Amino acid sequence: MLNDRTAKLLSKTNVLNNGANTPTVRLEYECPCKKGKIVEERVSGFCDYSVDIECEECKTKYYALTGCGHIWELKNK
């Protein structure tokens, strides 16, 4: 299954997020159907991160299983 090590990285950007001006890294990966993307956001200096499926087709088929250390993978629903 698609995960953070096998997905094709489309872009990587550094952004300032929230009122505390905490640097955040935004990684965009190609989704399985190639019609959308999977977005991972990592808050620098923290273990916090999120993974969002930004594809209507893949949202209905998969969910993002997240783990410790910025590790995620898509699983069938």
Side-chain angles (χ1 to χ4, degrees):
M1 180 63 5
L2 191 69
N3 62 45
D4 62 324
R5 294 189 178 104
T6 61
K8 180 181 177 186
L9 184 63
L10 300 174
S11 70
K12 178 180 178 179
T13 36
N14 294 315
V15 294
L16 287 178
N17 199 12
N18 71 36
N21 291 332
T22 306
T24 301
V25 177
R26 180 181 170 95
L27 303 156
E28 295 183 356
Y29 298 92
E30 188 173 69
C31 68
C33 75
K34 300 179 180 16
K35 296 177 187 172
K37 59 189 171 188
I38 300 160
V39 177
E40 176 184 358
E41 289 189 343
R42 299 178 182 178
V43 179
S44 298
F46 297 93
C47 293
D48 292 344
Y49 74 106
S50 64
V51 177
D52 296 307
I53 301 170
E54 294 185 358
C55 173
E56 293 306 315
E57 184 176 325
C58 289
K59 268 187 194 179
T60 62
K61 295 179 182 178
Y62 309 104
Y63 69 96
L65 178 65
T66 57
C68 188
H70 304 290
I71 297 171
W72 60 266
E73 73 178 300
L74 295 185
K75 295 288 211 174
N76 292 322
K77 284 190 174 182

